Amino acid sequence: MMNQGAKKTGYVSQPAGTDPRSTEAWALSEASRRLVVGAKTEDGGKSLRDALILNQRLWTIFQTAMAEPDCPLPTEIRDNVLALSIMMDRQILQRLGDLDGSKLQPILDINRCVAEGLAQKPQVPEAAMAQSVQAVPAHPQPHPAQAAVGGARMAVNVSA
């Protein structure tokens, strides 16, 4: 059942877990849900525009996290997320220009794929897990860049 805070902000649901990966997966799913609803709403494009702007803000957060000098993720993953975000920028700006809800599929597909990757638990070799357990402070604070992709490995072909 949805709580009052979620209802006031327009959310149908809230993140299932408290870890950054599930929160980010939820955010991408929620942004996609709003895009679909916005495309079907007859309000002169206002709902679609709002949903596109929300999606743009979410991807800007990912971009910013990847560009941080102390981002702990491997360069390959950061580069892939940045390439995805550039693709999203282009798609979102095109849709903001024409407000054509029938052309949202590329945005929805990328959001879905990234959300699915974030929803999966990363597989860590046992030796690495043992080392990280010893090195983890009592109350770790997740780094925003680490939260942005949660260690998911993505391959992107931006030439298409």
Side-chain angles (χ1 to χ4, degrees), residues 85-103:
S85 64
I86 291 168
M87 289 172 40
M88 289 299 275
D89 285 345
R90 290 180 185 146
Q91 287 292 321
I92 292 168
L93 289 174
Q94 288 173 348
R95 296 301 66 85
L96 282 168
D98 62 20
L99 292 177
D100 187 345
S102 69
K103 297 179 180 177

Side-chain angles (χ1 to χ4, degrees), residues 13-35:
S13 65
Q14 289 198 337
T18 58
D19 68 292
R21 290 174 61 100
S22 65
T23 301
E24 290 160 356
W26 169 83
L28 287 164
S29 297
E30 177 65 21
S32 293
R33 183 194 68 78
R34 288 184 182 208
L35 286 167

